[in-house]
Amino acid sequence: MGADRPQIKKKNAKTQTALLLLLIGVFVLLVIAALLTYKQEDETPALQPKEKVRLEKRLREIDDGQQYALIADEDGWYPCNHPGRVAFYLLPGQVWKYGTTTKGQFGRYSVKYLEEMKVSYVIQFQGTIGECLKEEQRKLFNYPYLPENLARPKKDRLPRPPFNSKMQ
């Protein structure tokens, strides 16, 4: 009696085909994923349209600044931000505050606020915000020498307008 002959199992052709298709499918998916990843890395980041509009608006604002003064409309007591003073008496036409803005009068102050404070918004200089800030500093530094300030008794002279709390 002899040794049994080993039997070789025949591989099922359907199983081989399914395995081959599975491997090809996995390979195709890997290639697609690699291409998509490469494409995303290759793209340079860019502003979204909404962000681009906001940036353009902000750049325009920087170029379109205003240096303004808030001027007393009538004689009376106005709030004062100087140490030791709560209010200061102003005559019509006198400066209550110097400032700068990129938002314009109504972006900075409401009509109601200007009426309540009894002041008018007067644009004194227009340019870039940097130029406006420089002009504001000139006005603040020269305020002690304005005729309206020099006309006051020495004890009532101010180093800056009543509502400018400090040299900014």
Side-chain angles (χ1 to χ4, degrees):
M1 322 224 121
D4 287 321
R5 228 163 135 196
Q7 290 185 356
I8 300 174
K9 288 186 179 178
K10 287 188 177 181
K11 292 184 180 177
N12 185 347
K14 286 184 179 180
T15 305
Q16 284 181 338
T17 304
L19 185 59
L20 183 61
L21 287 174
L22 180 64
L23 288 174
I24 290 172
V26 168
F27 178 75
V28 168
L29 287 175
L30 288 173
V31 168
I32 291 172
L35 289 174
L36 289 175
T37 302
Y38 177 75
K39 184 178 179 185
Q40 288 174 355
E41 290 174 2
D42 190 39
E43 290 178 6
T44 50
L47 290 175
Q48 298 296 318
K50 195 174 187 180
E51 291 173 320
K52 200 173 195 176
V53 168
R54 285 181 54 219
L55 172 62
E56 289 169 1
K57 180 181 179 217
R58 185 65 186 128
L59 292 175
R60 268 192 317 277
E61 287 176 351
I62 290 170
D63 288 339
D64 296 334
Q66 295 176 347
Q67 182 273 308
Y68 64 89
L70 296 180
I71 307 294
D73 286 336
E74 54 189 64
D75 59 335
W77 292 97
Y78 287 79
C80 184
N81 288 334
H82 291 242
R85 292 185 188 256
V86 177
F88 193 82
Y89 197 86
L90 293 177
L91 299 173
Q94 291 185 334
V95 176
W96 182 53
K97 179 184 193 285
Y98 288 124
T100 59
T101 185
T102 59
K103 308 286 185 198
Q105 175 179 346
F106 300 112
R108 183 82 173 116
Y109 299 104
S110 68
V111 172
K112 181 180 176 185
Y113 177 81
L114 295 173
E115 287 174 353
E116 285 175 1
M117 293 296 114
K118 301 177 284 180
V119 294
S120 294
Y121 181 99
V122 177
I123 299 169
Q124 296 184 316
F125 180 84
Q126 291 183 296
T128 66
I129 190 62
E131 293 167 334
C132 291
L133 288 167
K134 287 178 184 179
E135 191 62 26
E136 178 187 22
Q137 289 303 303
R138 285 185 193 97
K139 299 282 170 83
L140 289 169
F141 273 87
N142 284 302
Y143 183 81
Y145 312 107
L146 278 182
E148 70 184 52
N149 196 36
L150 292 173
R152 298 176 182 136
K154 274 195 178 218
K155 66 178 179 63
D156 289 333
R157 291 181 187 164
L158 299 173
R160 60 194 170 276
F163 211 63
N164 285 102
S165 57
K166 56 186 174 184
M167 301 293 248
Q168 297 181 10

